[in-house]
Amino acid sequence: MTGLRVVLAEDDVLLREGIASLLAREGLDVLGQAGDATELMKLVRATRPDLVVVDVRMPPTHTTEGLQAAQQIRTELPGTGVLVLSAYADVDQAMELLAGGRRIGYLLKSRITDVTEFLAAVERIAGGGSVIDPGLVAELVTARRRDDPLAALSTREREVLAQMAEGQSNSGIARRLWITEGTVEKHVRSVLSKLKLPETDDHHRRVLAVLTFLEAR
């Protein structure tokens, strides 16, 4: 990483100086520091760094100025890596940022205290990779489970739905799962009910159930 050119943006002066000192000790060239998004953009445009480390919340509103600046940097200088720091794991913010592709990262500020891990993240982004904070991964998994439309189904109901997705009739499902056709019918009714599929002439509920299964995979 020696010689990597970096710009820092953080309104907490002590934290910013600490990160700058840490990176400089590792041989990185800290081109400049900014305390707000406007100053950051001027600095980035003037120096065209290899990497920008920026806080999500910056003056004047301390909401998403840093995130917006990061997205603007990605647009104007797609070859510049961006590492966003946040005090909290915000799934929506992170997903919006990470949709930008390679050389991008999202870390919680608490991760900076683990110097080895922080430097490894910087190195990975500089090398063209992406970094997602483990805390954010946990949030994403939890969110996915909350939003999983199949979460209400039992293991057997999922098995029946999987067979439906393969185009099996009730009799075919019964033979494959070694259960009676009547039991299959009971499971199918339960699946359709738990998935809250509409009972109208305009919708084939069995097809809708299969589509729900395929989308959730």
Side-chain angles (χ1 to χ4, degrees):
M1 281 199 302
T2 301
L4 187 72
R5 301 161 65 252
V6 184
V7 164
L8 302 177
E10 164 65 60
D11 62 306
D12 184 327
V13 178
L14 291 179
L15 177 58
R16 189 174 74 222
E17 290 288 350
I19 296 174
S21 177
L22 171 62
L23 295 178
R25 287 201 306 270
E26 292 299 314
L28 281 71
D29 183 8
V30 179
L31 301 177
Q33 303 178 33
D36 60 57
T38 300
E39 186 181 357
L40 168 63
M41 292 309 302
K42 289 180 180 177
L43 191 55
V44 167
R45 288 168 180 148
T47 62
R48 304 180 73 87
D50 302 311
L51 175 70
V52 174
V53 179
V54 55
D55 182 15
V56 167
R57 302 176 187 274
M58 300 186 72
T61 67
H62 293 278
T63 53
T64 59
E65 281 87 352
L67 182 66
Q68 292 169 4
Q71 293 168 330
Q72 191 170 349
I73 292 168
R74 295 292 292 174
T75 300
E76 293 186 18
L77 300 171
T80 295
V82 177
L83 174 55
V84 170
L85 304 178
S86 177
Y88 309 99
D90 189 311
V91 173
D92 292 336
Q93 283 183 350
M95 293 308 293
E96 187 177 353
L97 176 70
L98 294 170
R102 302 178 61 196
R103 298 176 67 85
I104 200 78
Y106 187 102
L107 284 183
L108 296 181
K109 288 186 177 180
S110 58
R111 203 69 56 185
I112 300 174
T113 58
D114 187 329
V115 174
T116 301
E117 189 171 347
F118 175 66
L119 292 175
V122 170
E123 184 172 11
R124 180 176 299 178
I125 295 170
S130 297
V131 175
I132 306 177
D133 192 281
L136 179 66
V137 173
E139 289 284 340
L140 288 169
V141 171
T142 300
R144 181 179 180 121
R145 286 174 179 166
R146 281 198 303 267
D147 297 336
D148 183 2
L150 307 182
L153 303 185
S154 68
T155 300
R156 179 59 88 182
E157 288 166 350
R158 283 174 178 259
E159 291 173 346
V160 169
L161 182 53
Q163 293 298 316
M164 289 165 59
E166 292 184 16
Q168 293 294 321
S169 64
N170 285 0
S171 59
I173 295 173
R175 287 193 298 273
R176 286 192 168 196
L177 299 183
W178 297 89
I179 55 179
T180 67
E181 193 168 341
T183 299
V184 172
E185 291 174 356
K186 182 184 70 174
H187 285 314
V188 169
R189 285 196 300 272
S190 180
V191 166
L192 299 180
S193 175
K194 288 182 178 180
L195 293 182
K196 297 181 174 58
L197 298 174
E199 294 187 64
T200 70
D201 294 336
D202 295 330
H203 298 88
H204 193 303
R205 298 177 78 205
R206 194 176 180 107
V207 172
L208 291 177
V210 168
L211 290 174
T212 301
F213 172 78
L214 294 175
E215 290 173 355
R217 295 181 68 181

